[in-house]
Amino acid sequence: MDQNNSLPPYAQGLASPQGAMTPGIPIFSPMMPYGTGLTPQPIQSTNSLSILEEQRQQQQQQQQQQQQQQQQQQQQQQQQQQQAAAAAAQQSASQQAPPGAAGQTPQLFHSQTLTTAPLPGTTPLYPSPMTPMTPITPATPASESSGIVPQLQNIVSTVNLGCKLDLKTIALRARNAEYNPKRFAAVIMRIREPRTTALIFSSGKMVCTGAKSEEQSRLAARKYARVVQKLGFPAKFLDFKIQNMVGSCDVKFPIRLEGLVLTHQQFSSYEPELFPGLIYRMIKPRIVLLIFVSGKVVLTGAKVRAEIYEAFENIYPILKGFRKTT
Amino acid sequence: MPGGRRCPDCDSTELVEDSHYSQSQLVCSDCGCVITEGVLTTTFADEGHLREVTYSQSTGENEQVSRSQQRRCLRRVRDLCRVLQLPSTFEDTAVAYYQQAYRHSGIRAARLQKKEVLVGCCVLITCRQHNWPLTMGTICTLIYADLDVFSGTYMQIVKLLGLDVPSLCLADLVKTYCSSFRLFQASPSVPAKYVEDKEKMLSRTLQLVELANETWLVTGRHPLPVITAATFLAWQSLQPSGRLTCSLARFCKLANVDLPYPATSRLQELLAVLLQMAEQLAWLQILKLNKRSVVKHIGDLLQHRHTLVRKAFRDGTAEMEACEREVQGQRQGEEEVGDSSLDLPVRKRPASPALLLPPCMLKPPKQLRPTPPVCTVTGDENISDSEIEQYLRTPEEVRDFQRAQAAGQAAKSLPNPL
């Protein structure tokens, strides 16, 4: 076997350098296939500010109500504790602080997650897992929620400008456009605020990438539409739809990827020869997660923000299970 | 006769649907005026409804070609299995996988290159399922394919067939890979002092790879460079006196094995781990070892590796849990509201024992770009004209650009003055 085996088990020329890992599946595809001409129900086809304002006010009221309820509950429980025996004095001391902390956390989460106005369709979903509905639990908060919020890194959206465009004219008269028909059949336009890139096609359809939130993506798309309008085309703003959202976060502990692929083999794909991360395809919600040994997690494939949060809350207990090295 | 329509010329109601060859037309039977006509060309929808038959379909060319292609590729699968000297059952399994893949239209319509790469994928999947250690690099060399193309086809076929492919078995890979090193017999290129006993080298390499696995040097990395580094250290440590002067590159050349690029950094990482362990042994502490001298004591270190790793490294994850608990305790102690700092306090610790973490977590954190202040954006703000104007060219700029473009075109079209 030794003498006949003249085959090199490893070929240096075909060593996969750390930089060129391709999972082989277009995970981060800025070009989401939308051009079937059939656009499913858009989230916001009518740009009516009043409806949004109303809904935002409703949400704020709901949040305030929730906070008030929690505070009331806390007060009631505090009274009950004071009426209890002296031995409970220690308990009450320790339990007064968590209400303080639990009463804190809703505000914290809100300030972190709701800095940008939430979309009407999504808000009812995600405040509930974030705000602990049972305010006083001496147990560590980590068992209920991870306390880590994934940050959105990229939003891909599409919009129909509703008219045929002459890409040569756009490339000629716009400063921030590049057009190389031999390479790609669209104009690549960029704006500085919000920092995004758009692909504008001659059919009038446009893809906008690079925004960090849904609202920024919408604002950027509107700016591109305005630029096209000023170039003399009758551009409209039809069927704006968010196609993909990418988020990332750090669980701050190392993860045994080999163990994870053994226990969750029907969802995971871990090929260290190809890519250093584990590709986890969650079914509900339908999100793809890239999990790395350093504890960093990338979540992609979401259409709404809530899916990213939900996916992370689902994966966090699984990852915690692989925290111990032995 | 369609109701209500009149000929625009003679105002008659006698309209007939008549077709001129394949083009349907609505004609006035009195004056012969053509009122409407159908489309001359077919649409995709028409063709989809089987109104059109392509030439290749009518001659059955596609089917013949694909069947002969399939037979050729199946023959390649069998040849590949024989070249790799795999058991005969593997051959049948690989062929079955290929046939299964070929039933999918996406594979049948794929390019020839992809079909040829698929040959390698099926063989690899078969080997993995039988725990036969075969790396993707080997397969790619044998089928003359790029790793990028191979990886795409491999991931696609695993998903398409819904296969469960187990991970590469590290221990078996060590045994196969080490056996390929030409160091077990003296030869003109291998001096006597470099020849080593195969069993001793194998067992020591296995222990070193196990140690690397335990100390987070293997997760997320290509396995082969780690094994190369471990083999080198095992070989050196078995007779350090004569071999310390030999470098990793020279070692691989002697052994007639390709040196994978990451192997040098894996070697340094492994040596660092061994040095950490050596500091826990009393009689080695005095010697003040460095990365070269620690090789002489690898035998001792491996003998007690489990205890040494436990003593030399703090459990990185336990550390973080302890930190978190302390921070929570602080928060509970404070009744103050408004302490929103979630960052764990950076603690000053003595240099040793070190944290048992993957090397990527031990490196100093990258200086992240400061996140821009989150400003509330509603998406429906007013867009000022001036902001948009900055993205439009002035007429002078347009003229200059057009002139420059024309000049560029002219220069390109001029014949080369040689």
Side-chain angles (χ1 to χ4, degrees):
Chain A
M1 175 81 182
D2 289 344
Q3 289 167 351
N4 293 340
N5 196 0
S6 58
L7 302 164
Y10 187 91
Q12 152 91 75
L14 295 167
S16 43
Q18 297 294 346
M21 299 298 180
T22 41
I25 320 157
I27 292 179
F28 303 108
S29 55
M31 294 278 303
M32 293 302 291
Y34 66 89
T36 57
L38 304 166
T39 39
Q41 311 90 343
I43 292 181
Q44 289 166 339
S45 55
T46 52
N47 188 355
S48 56
L49 204 58
S50 52
I51 298 178
L52 274 179
E53 279 287 304
E54 253 183 55
Q55 285 169 335
R56 233 173 286 141
Q57 280 172 7
Q58 279 174 11
Q59 284 150 23
Q60 280 173 2
Q61 281 171 7
Q62 276 175 14
Q63 287 159 16
Q64 281 171 6
Q65 279 172 9
Q66 280 175 5
Q67 283 174 11
Q68 280 171 7
Q69 278 174 11
Q70 284 171 8
Q71 282 170 4
Q72 281 173 7
Q73 283 176 357
Q74 288 160 21
Q75 283 171 5
Q76 281 173 8
Q77 291 192 338
Q78 281 177 11
Q79 285 170 2
Q80 285 171 8
Q81 284 158 15
Q82 281 165 6
Q83 288 167 9
Q90 275 187 347
Q91 288 175 11
S92 67
S94 63
Q95 277 175 348
Q96 264 170 28
Q104 270 298 295
T105 32
Q107 287 178 10
L108 261 176
F109 281 121
H110 286 315
S111 66
Q112 277 180 8
T113 62
L114 298 178
T115 45
T116 58
L119 290 178
T122 63
T123 340
L125 290 172
Y126 70 74
S128 16
M130 287 297 162
T131 55
M133 295 320 277
T134 53
I136 297 175
T137 34
T140 53
S143 59
E144 291 181 338
S145 81
S146 57
I148 307 172
V149 182
Q151 295 301 312
L152 288 182
Q153 301 293 346
N154 184 25
I155 314 268
V156 178
S157 57
T158 55
V159 72
N160 185 2
L161 299 177
C163 64
K164 295 271 176 281
L165 304 172
D166 180 12
L167 299 183
K168 280 212 165 62
T169 318
I170 297 179
L172 177 65
R173 297 181 44 209
R175 280 189 186 141
N176 53 338
E178 55 179 87
Y179 180 48
N180 194 345
K182 290 196 195 128
R183 193 151 47 101
F184 190 57
V187 163
I188 302 168
M189 196 181 283
R190 297 185 167 89
I191 58 173
R192 281 181 280 274
E193 183 54 48
R195 213 158 73 90
T196 49
T197 306
L199 303 170
I200 306 175
F201 294 83
S202 53
S203 60
K205 300 239 171 83
M206 182 172 82
V207 182
C208 174
T209 63
K212 298 275 188 213
S213 78
E214 304 92 319
E215 294 78 20
Q216 283 188 10
S217 190
R218 188 187 166 79
L219 180 63
R222 282 176 58 224
K223 288 191 181 174
Y224 287 113
R226 187 69 77 81
V227 171
V228 171
Q229 234 176 32
K230 286 229 186 288
L231 288 172
F233 298 93
K236 306 187 249 322
F237 196 75
L238 310 169
D239 307 329
F240 175 80
K241 180 168 189 244
I242 304 253
Q243 300 288 354
N244 186 25
M245 300 173 78
V246 181
S248 72
C249 56
D250 189 358
V251 301
K252 298 210 169 23
F253 54 81
I255 303 168
R256 284 278 173 203
L257 301 178
E258 310 95 351
L260 183 56
V261 77
L262 274 177
T263 50
H264 289 78
Q265 59 201 119
Q266 62 268 54
F267 307 112
S268 336
S269 157
Y270 171 54
E271 295 288 339
E273 296 177 82
L274 295 177
F275 188 63
L278 186 148
I279 303 169
Y280 192 100
R281 292 179 191 278
M282 198 175 279
I283 308 233
K284 186 173 171 0
R286 220 168 73 89
I287 300 280
V288 174
L289 298 94
L290 300 180
I291 304 169
F292 295 90
V293 68
S294 56
K296 299 212 166 50
V297 181
V298 176
L299 307 98
T300 182
K303 289 272 195 286
V304 292
R305 194 188 275 249
E307 285 177 2
I308 295 216
Y309 294 153
E310 195 188 330
F312 183 68
E313 292 303 317
N314 288 349
I315 201 80
Y316 189 69
I318 299 172
L319 295 180
K320 270 208 296 182
F322 288 93
R323 212 166 170 168
K324 285 286 177 272
T325 52
T326 46
Chain B
M1 276 198 280
R5 294 193 75 163
R6 286 178 164 275
C7 170
D9 272 350
C10 62
D11 224 22
S12 124
T13 50
E14 302 289 314
L15 304 176
V16 186
E17 271 195 36
D18 191 10
S19 46
H20 180 70
Y21 297 111
S22 60
Q23 187 182 26
S24 59
Q25 291 177 338
L26 189 64
V27 188
C28 167
S29 58
D30 287 341
C31 67
C33 164
V34 177
I35 291 132
T36 62
E37 48 186 28
V39 285
L40 195 56
T41 53
T42 55
T43 60
F44 190 70
D46 275 353
E47 288 172 353
H49 291 135
L50 299 175
R51 297 236 220 115
E52 296 296 317
V53 179
T54 58
Y55 174 71
S56 54
Q57 275 179 321
S58 63
T59 57
E61 209 178 83
N62 254 358
E63 276 189 37
Q64 269 188 352
V65 167
S66 66
R67 240 182 284 138
S68 72
Q69 265 180 1
Q70 189 185 12
R71 259 183 276 130
R72 225 181 311 144
C73 290
L74 290 178
R75 206 172 29 238
R76 283 226 181 107
V77 171
R78 289 190 201 278
D79 289 343
L80 190 58
C81 290
R82 269 179 229 144
V83 162
L84 289 167
Q85 298 179 343
L86 302 176
S88 51
T89 48
F90 287 33
E91 224 174 284
D92 300 328
T93 322
V95 163
Y97 278 140
Y98 199 91
Q99 284 170 331
Q100 203 183 343
Y102 217 81
R103 281 189 220 119
H104 291 262
S105 57
I107 300 292
R108 262 204 314 275
R111 287 177 201 247
L112 194 59
Q113 184 200 32
K114 194 161 195 176
K115 288 178 180 147
E116 293 177 352
V117 168
L118 192 59
V119 166
C121 294
C122 292
V123 174
L124 178 70
I125 293 173
T126 314
C127 289
R128 282 276 196 95
Q129 290 184 333
H130 291 91
N131 281 325
W132 189 276
L134 192 63
T135 57
M136 295 192 182
T138 315
I139 297 268
C140 286
T141 331
L142 289 173
I143 62 175
Y144 310 109
D146 266 334
L147 191 63
D148 300 328
V149 182
F150 185 85
S151 74
T153 315
Y154 174 77
M155 301 296 276
Q156 185 192 0
I157 201 66
V158 168
K159 197 170 166 193
L160 201 59
L161 299 179
L163 295 171
D164 173 24
V165 185
S167 309
L168 198 54
C169 178
L170 214 56
D172 292 335
L173 182 63
V174 169
K175 289 189 202 132
T176 327
Y177 187 52
C178 278
S179 316
S180 71
F181 281 70
R182 303 283 187 83
L183 292 165
F184 311 122
Q185 285 172 350
S187 74
S189 52
V190 180
K193 60 173 177 166
Y194 286 172
V195 175
E196 189 52 69
D197 174 46
K198 186 166 158 190
E199 288 313 313
K200 276 200 259 174
M201 207 162 109
L202 260 180
S203 72
R204 193 160 275 200
T205 311
L206 270 170
Q207 289 176 347
L208 278 167
V209 170
E210 228 181 79
L211 174 67
N213 203 359
E214 220 183 294
T215 52
W216 294 102
L217 298 182
V218 171
T219 312
R221 275 100 168 264
H222 199 298
L224 217 67
V226 184
I227 303 178
T228 315
T231 316
F232 175 62
L233 277 181
W235 173 81
Q236 262 193 339
S237 64
L238 286 169
Q239 259 189 48
S241 51
R243 298 174 183 172
L244 268 180
T245 50
C246 183
S247 70
L248 178 59
R250 186 153 167 251
F251 169 74
C252 289
K253 216 160 134 209
L254 279 172
N256 202 14
V257 165
D258 285 327
L259 172 63
Y261 172 72
T264 26
S265 52
R266 298 296 159 265
L267 181 64
Q268 297 304 312
E269 287 169 0
L270 202 47
L271 284 170
V273 165
L274 289 165
L275 272 174
Q276 291 279 351
M277 286 163 62
E279 279 180 22
Q280 301 298 315
L281 279 180
W283 68 91
L284 292 180
Q285 267 174 7
I286 320 168
L287 292 176
K288 296 222 194 312
L289 298 169
N290 62 16
K291 283 191 173 166
R292 290 192 68 108
S293 40
V294 74
V295 178
K296 295 183 239 166
H297 307 279
I298 285 185
D300 288 336
L301 293 172
L302 287 177
Q303 210 179 0
H304 308 283
R305 64 183 182 279
H306 297 297
T307 355
L308 287 176
V309 167
R310 235 180 304 131
K311 280 174 67 182
F313 297 101
R314 298 171 291 156
D315 186 6
T317 53
E319 263 296 297
M320 286 178 188
E321 257 182 64
C323 269
E324 270 183 41
R325 254 180 265 127
E326 277 194 43
V327 173
Q328 280 172 16
Q330 280 175 23
R331 254 202 243 148
Q332 285 176 1
E334 290 171 2
E335 302 215 5
E336 220 179 352
V337 170
D339 182 12
S340 60
S341 90
L342 292 170
D343 302 316
L344 300 176
V346 174
R347 313 173 65 91
K348 287 214 190 91
R349 286 224 163 251
S352 69
L355 280 170
L356 186 58
L357 289 175
C360 55
M361 289 180 85
L362 292 172
K363 281 190 276 202
K366 278 193 281 193
Q367 287 294 337
L368 287 168
R369 207 192 309 170
T371 49
V374 181
C375 42
T376 41
V377 175
T378 61
D380 296 308
E381 285 107 334
N382 254 343
I383 303 171
S384 65
D385 274 350
S386 55
E387 191 186 344
I388 302 297
E389 295 289 323
Q390 69 174 309
Y391 295 120
L392 303 175
R393 286 199 172 121
T394 60
E396 297 85 34
E397 276 182 34
V398 175
R399 251 183 289 130
D400 291 337
F401 185 71
Q402 274 175 320
R403 237 180 286 148
Q405 254 190 340
Q409 293 281 344
K412 244 191 282 176
S413 58
L414 277 175
N416 227 348
L418 275 174

